[in-house]
Amino acid sequence: MQVLKFGGTSVGSTQAIEQVCNIVAQYKRKSTLVLVVSAMSGTTDKLIQCGQLAGLQQEQYKSLLQEIEDRHLDTIRGLFPITMQSSLLSQVKKQLNQLESLCDGIFQVGELSKRSLDKIMSFGELLSSWMVAEKLKQMGLSAAWKDSRELIATDAQFGHALVDFEVTDHQITGFFQHQNAHIVVLPGFIAATADKETTTLGRGGSDYTAAIVAAAMDASVLEIWTDVSGMMTADPRLVPQAIPIPQISYEEAMELSHFGAKVIYPPTIQPVMNRRIPIWIKNTFAADDYGTLIQDNGEKTFPVTGISGIQKIALLTLEGSGMVGIPGFSKRLFDALLREKVNVILITQSSSEHSITVGVHEDDMLKAKVGIDSEFVQEIHDKRIEPLIVEKDLAIVAVVGDNMKNHHGMSGKLFGALGRNAINVRAIAQGSTEKNISAVISKNDVRKALNVIHEAFFESETRQVNVFVAGTGNVGGKLLEQLQLQQSYLQKELGLQVRVIALANSRKMRFSESGIQLNNWKEELEAGHEMDLEQFMQRVQNMNLRNSVFVDNTASETVAGVYSTFLQHGISVVTCNKIACSSEYANYKKLKDLARKFNASFLFETNVGAGLPVINTLNDLVRSGDKVQTIEAVLSGSLNFVFNNFVNGASFREVVKAAQDEGYTEPDPRIDLSGKDVMRKILILARESGAELEMEDIVNHSFLPAEALNAKDVPAFYEQLDVHAAHFGKLLKDASDKGERLKFVARYHNGEASVGLQSVGPQHPFYQLEGKDNIVLFTTHRYSAQPLIVKGAGAGADVTASGIFADIIRTVR
């Protein structure tokens, strides 16, 4: 015998029912086929609503009954030729008239009992299964319909009845011994008491019906036909990259179904597992897909088989010093929960016996608290234990796999992945069989957690990075261009999928959870909303995506002021904006501390030297225990360009204007020529070396006359350069007379820092520095004879963007 169960979506329309019947007609039948059929999708919910409205004496139940009737009559009209419809429509109407009479009676008395509700709910399966049987007959197949209430016996626990397997097995085997039809169609979900009162087996109970029949008849296979191609490694609605599970053990399937996997109803597995009957989950609408085969364990590709989660969880914690060493507290706790009929989902207890925590559904938390506080009222009064602590708005994520016990570090991998993404774990439970590791987290983190865990266990070759970009000017535009060009390389060679989720400039912001298309990012940004930094931050936090990186390509103090908010939410920050790291030391240290505390990266390599590995080199020296003695550097590409071109025959004004026209200086060249930008850079290097310096601690030997520096505007500034041409000429002549060249040098030595114009001779490493290049000399304990030199292009949108790009990759590698 083969038992096939078809779910609500599989019989949810005329076309779906025809598809089911075609599948059955083409079946390679070995013996009797048993079809267990659910109600048409959505029908059970409407039937429940009908009963509830009737019980509240609200006449809207009549319109719902009409909707149910219309749907079923229309299905008959679509399934059968006109010549057959009259008698079939009459039989459906007869059933629906009984339903209407039942609801009318409930309306009259104004009370809906669980017994009456079970009776109302039964009509969905009775109607759908009967239609399927009639369609199979119309197709010329040998089919019979049987009422499951005559086969499955239960107690009188209406709403979720318990099966009497002894009686049930006897009735099922007795029926099939005398059954001659090739195909038998049964309604799922429904059963009956010894007094022939209708009961139900719980929502999803059609799966259970099929398993009961399969076990009673020792079927060769139980097939569950639904609207998905088997069980997945995670819920694809939450984890788009979830993959099918071709084979899974009974125990793994039970764990996953218990922890929220909706493909199969949890009690289904037990009856067939006892008989070692395989369960095959198939897709009605993609019948050729392999699906998932549930049977005794086989070879596994991954140590983890699947991950799942349960929403709306509450934690109940009983604690107090009076519990330590006193037997019986756990028993009394669970007895109290039993009296309140509260199901326990998770249990964890401290080794000191000072506390015990259980997870329950949020719907049960209030009655659980009342019951437990009542049980321990004396101990609470005597202050031996505390009143029950209740925490809500939680969820459980579970990692399931028979093969985990054969692999070391599974727990570390799970909690490491969660920790790196700032997902706080409230409680942990792991069985001694090592088939399940469960963690309680905030309900707001469920989607992120499932994706993070799935990435850790199933996507070892690919990691997703979600980037939020502020600033789309020269540097930002080049960064987006580089990201677009490197997408395929990153995925193929580094296993990284870098997605730009948001873009923002001073006017507009644009979000796309699936990622912005970088080939037309300008158009997408222009189609976005008005920029609002607070809303931008809130949106980034609410999206709560894994491996999130905020990238600041601006020079805005306001944007720099929000880094702490991102870091506190576990969102890494990558920036070329020097304001934060050169602000007060307390703020700089706070950002570094927040990054460590919340497992986020705070990277700012491009603050000094654009794309040159200056800060990373310094960090490596310090982390390896080397001591920085002196840092000497030319850190301004614009100033280097100016002084490299300020030679005999050129006026200083002409050189500065040329640098501005080439884009090497800010629109106001004084920002560069004042040396303030270089002060920021040497301050950052000094701090990264371990010094606690402030901006005012840096000595600035300015070469600009005060009149030029304080000019009212840029044209006036240029006028002052002409006025003081002799001053600049003398600087050049003094250096030339000594055979030296002018360089604007930053220096840090023994806790002191300064910047200023110097002349250097041919033997100095700075002498040959050309164009807009930067150079940094690190003299350390290990590099004392010859300094460690980092040299190269230190300005320009391309190289700065490449440094930001590298920092983005560094956040996940």
Side-chain angles (χ1 to χ4, degrees):
M1 175 182 285
Q2 294 165 283
V3 179
L4 285 64
K5 177 265 179 178
F6 290 94
T9 51
S10 297
V11 293
S13 65
T14 299
Q15 296 77 13
I17 292 174
E18 288 176 337
Q19 173 70 2
V20 166
C21 293
N22 288 333
I23 289 172
V24 174
Q26 297 168 17
Y27 227 79
K28 296 178 181 178
R29 188 173 59 82
K30 300 175 183 177
S31 56
T32 304
L33 281 182
V34 178
L35 272 56
V36 176
V37 179
S38 295
M40 297 181 76
S41 56
T43 299
T44 303
D45 288 335
K46 285 189 176 181
L47 288 168
I48 292 171
Q49 198 174 356
C50 283
Q52 291 171 339
L53 289 170
L56 296 171
Q57 296 186 313
Q58 296 181 14
E59 292 193 349
Q60 293 97 314
Y61 77 91
K62 294 181 179 179
S63 61
L64 280 178
L65 285 174
Q66 189 61 52
E67 289 179 21
I68 293 169
E69 178 176 315
D70 291 344
R71 184 181 186 187
H72 285 82
L73 295 181
D74 288 344
T75 302
I76 291 291
R77 295 186 184 102
L79 280 173
F80 300 96
I82 295 177
T83 54
M84 292 183 63
Q85 288 179 12
S86 179
S87 62
L88 296 173
L89 290 171
S90 176
Q91 292 185 59
V92 171
K93 280 287 291 181
K94 182 179 178 181
Q95 286 280 332
L96 292 170
N97 287 339
Q98 292 179 25
L99 173 61
E100 184 177 10
S101 297
L102 178 58
C103 290
D104 289 343
I106 293 168
F107 178 83
Q108 292 298 322
V109 298
E111 182 181 344
L112 175 65
S113 66
K114 289 185 177 180
R115 176 182 303 188
S116 297
L117 184 59
D118 272 2
K119 181 71 173 175
I120 289 172
M121 288 193 290
S122 70
F123 282 89
E125 273 73 16
L126 290 169
L127 288 167
S128 62
S129 60
W130 177 81
M131 288 191 297
V132 169
E134 292 301 315
K135 180 62 180 176
L136 291 170
K137 292 176 187 176
Q138 187 256 328
M139 293 170 64
L141 299 173
S142 172
W145 180 85
K146 178 66 174 176
D147 191 337
S148 298
R149 292 175 295 187
E150 297 174 13
L151 301 179
I152 300 177
T154 69
D155 63 9
Q157 189 174 310
F158 297 101
H160 203 300
L162 298 178
V163 176
D164 183 333
F165 281 98
E166 185 176 349
V167 174
T168 296
D169 289 352
H170 176 74
Q171 291 178 166
I172 291 173
T173 54
F175 168 74
F176 281 104
Q177 282 175 0
H178 303 93
Q179 179 53 240
N180 296 319
H182 295 160
I183 304 168
V184 177
V185 184
L186 305 173
F189 180 53
I190 61 174
T193 67
D195 296 329
K196 307 305 178 188
E197 293 283 354
T198 299
T199 57
T200 58
L201 302 176
R203 294 301 296 268
S206 292
D207 288 355
Y208 195 25
T209 301
I212 292 167
V213 174
M217 296 302 297
D218 200 15
S220 60
V221 66
L222 165 60
E223 296 182 7
I224 307 289
W225 289 79
T226 180
D227 57 357
V228 294
S229 297
M231 300 183 79
M232 308 284 283
T233 50
D235 186 339
R237 295 168 299 180
L238 299 176
V239 184
Q241 62 275 23
I243 56 177
I245 304 172
Q247 184 170 314
I248 188 172
S249 71
Y250 296 108
E251 292 82 2
E252 289 171 324
M254 287 182 73
E255 290 279 2
L256 284 175
S257 62
H258 174 70
F259 279 95
K262 303 297 184 184
V263 176
I264 191 167
Y265 181 54
T268 302
I269 301 167
Q270 192 65 51
V272 290
M273 181 175 71
N274 293 340
R275 298 290 184 94
R276 318 319 288 179
I277 299 169
I279 306 173
W280 208 328
I281 301 172
K282 301 279 286 179
N283 189 341
T284 304
F285 309 103
D288 292 334
D289 288 358
Y290 183 80
T292 297
L293 184 61
I294 304 173
Q295 61 179 11
D296 285 322
N297 214 351
E299 291 295 320
K300 299 292 172 63
T301 305
F302 302 102
V304 167
T305 300
I307 59 176
S308 195
I310 307 176
Q311 302 267 21
K312 295 184 177 180
I313 294 296
L315 283 184
L316 313 177
T317 301
L318 189 69
E319 66 178 19
S321 57
M323 296 172 57
V324 179
I326 308 298
F329 270 92
S330 298
K331 179 181 183 301
R332 290 173 60 191
L333 171 66
F334 292 114
D335 281 347
L337 292 171
L338 176 62
R339 287 194 296 272
E340 299 294 335
K341 296 183 179 178
V342 173
N343 184 43
V344 174
I345 302 168
L346 174 143
I347 306 167
T348 181
Q349 183 173 14
S350 66
S351 58
S352 66
E353 302 180 45
H354 184 266
S355 68
I356 182 169
T357 299
V358 297
V360 302
H361 287 288
E362 271 190 5
D363 294 342
D364 294 330
M365 68 180 181
L366 293 180
K367 63 179 181 179
K369 178 170 174 56
V370 170
I372 294 171
D373 282 347
S374 175
E375 171 66 30
F376 295 101
V377 62
Q378 189 61 50
E379 287 85 354
I380 294 171
H381 178 269
D382 296 340
K383 299 190 182 302
R384 285 183 285 156
I385 64 172
E386 301 296 325
L388 189 73
I389 300 169
V390 179
E391 300 170 81
K392 61 176 185 175
D393 295 329
L394 301 172
I396 296 175
V397 290
V399 176
V400 173
D402 286 341
N403 215 18
M404 287 198 297
K405 61 180 176 291
N406 298 320
H407 289 76
H408 298 295
M410 292 293 100
S411 298
K413 195 171 186 178
L414 167 64
F415 297 115
L418 294 175
R420 284 191 299 274
N421 281 272
I423 299 170
N424 187 38
V425 176
R426 294 289 303 110
I428 301 166
Q430 181 175 9
S432 58
T433 60
E434 298 185 54
K435 291 180 181 177
N436 179 318
I437 307 172
S438 301
V440 180
I441 62 173
S442 167
K443 69 177 184 181
N444 297 326
D445 287 330
V446 169
R447 179 187 293 270
K448 183 179 182 181
L450 291 175
N451 279 276
V452 163
I453 298 168
H454 196 275
E455 182 178 79
F457 287 102
F458 296 102
E459 304 165 56
S460 56
E461 296 182 0
T462 303
R463 294 188 71 186
Q464 188 181 91
V465 188
N466 296 295
V467 181
F468 303 83
V469 178
T472 56
N474 290 337
V475 173
K478 289 294 183 183
L479 172 64
L480 296 173
E481 181 182 311
Q482 291 173 13
L483 286 171
Q484 181 188 359
L485 290 173
Q486 288 297 100
Q487 278 181 332
S488 59
Y489 172 84
L490 291 174
Q491 188 135 9
K492 182 179 179 182
E493 300 298 329
L494 300 183
L496 293 177
Q497 180 192 19
V498 180
R499 307 189 309 163
V500 176
I501 304 299
L503 288 175
N505 59 24
S506 58
R507 299 178 299 105
K508 295 280 189 176
M509 61 181 184
R510 174 76 166 180
F511 281 81
S512 172
E513 191 159 350
S514 60
I516 292 171
Q517 296 301 312
L518 297 183
N519 58 346
N520 64 336
W521 66 264
K522 292 181 180 178
E523 292 81 359
E524 288 215 33
L525 180 56
E526 281 303 311
H529 295 91
E530 183 180 347
M531 175 57 179
D532 183 303
L533 186 56
E534 286 294 329
Q535 290 183 18
F536 183 90
M537 285 194 305
Q538 195 60 52
R539 186 85 181 269
V540 174
Q541 293 166 34
N542 291 344
M543 292 180 84
N544 205 19
L545 298 176
R546 70 190 187 278
N547 302 326
S548 290
V549 184
F550 172 67
V551 178
D552 179 14
N553 300 316
T554 75
S556 166
E557 185 173 355
T558 304
V559 175
V562 303
Y563 294 171
S564 60
T565 301
F566 286 120
L567 293 171
Q568 286 172 26
H569 286 83
I571 298 166
S572 294
V573 173
V574 169
T575 181
C576 61
N577 185 342
K578 293 180 281 293
I579 291 176
C581 288
S582 60
S583 63
E584 294 81 2
Y585 180 81
N587 183 59
Y588 158 84
K589 187 174 187 304
K590 174 187 175 184
L591 295 175
K592 301 274 282 189
D593 290 343
L594 286 173
R596 281 190 291 270
K597 180 177 180 180
F598 292 99
N599 289 307
S601 296
F602 177 41
L603 301 177
F604 42 91
E605 178 64 76
T606 49
N607 277 197
V608 180
L612 293 177
V614 176
I615 292 176
N616 274 310
T617 300
L618 176 56
N619 290 159
D620 288 343
L621 292 171
V622 173
R623 289 170 187 151
S624 65
D626 203 353
K627 302 296 182 183
V628 175
Q629 297 167 351
T630 304
I631 301 173
E632 287 183 289
V634 174
L635 296 173
S636 172
S638 55
L639 283 172
N640 199 43
F641 176 88
V642 166
F643 287 109
N644 280 336
N645 288 277
F646 183 38
V647 294
N648 291 329
S651 75
F652 192 69
R653 181 191 192 282
E654 291 171 344
V655 173
V656 173
K657 189 66 172 68
Q660 183 186 14
D661 292 343
E662 291 288 333
Y664 293 142
T665 73
E666 297 292 336
D668 185 344
R670 286 174 294 180
I671 296 173
D672 299 280
L673 271 63
S674 69
K676 187 172 182 179
D677 189 58
V678 178
M679 292 171 67
R680 286 191 176 124
K681 293 177 179 179
I682 193 63
L683 175 64
I684 292 168
L685 292 182
R687 286 176 172 178
E688 290 294 289
S689 302
E692 297 185 13
L693 289 182
E694 300 289 356
M695 192 71 167
E696 53 268 25
D697 296 329
I698 300 173
V699 178
N700 184 357
H701 302 290
S702 177
F703 65 91
L704 281 179
E707 294 84 355
L709 193 59
N710 299 321
K712 65 178 181 179
D713 53 27
V714 174
F717 164 71
Y718 277 114
E719 289 177 8
Q720 288 298 319
L721 294 187
D722 284 335
V723 169
H724 293 280
H727 164 73
F728 299 113
K730 185 176 186 305
L731 292 174
L732 178 60
K733 184 177 184 303
D734 289 347
S736 298
D737 288 348
K738 294 185 289 184
E740 298 179 343
R741 301 177 70 178
L742 291 171
K743 301 293 177 183
F744 194 85
V745 177
R747 178 180 170 84
Y748 167 72
H749 179 67
N750 288 340
E752 296 181 351
S754 64
V755 299
L757 195 63
Q758 295 181 20
S759 63
V760 296
Q763 304 306 314
H764 198 286
F766 294 170
Y767 185 84
Q768 297 295 340
L769 195 64
E770 300 295 337
K772 58 183 185 295
D773 283 0
N774 283 188
I775 186 170
V776 183
L777 311 182
F778 292 113
T779 303
T780 71
H781 179 72
R782 294 175 188 153
Y783 292 89
S784 57
Q786 290 289 336
L788 174 62
I789 300 176
V790 180
K791 177 183 176 182
D798 264 326
V799 291
T800 303
S802 68
I804 294 167
F805 194 151
D807 272 351
I808 292 171
I809 304 306
R810 203 170 283 118
T811 63
V812 290
R813 289 178 66 84

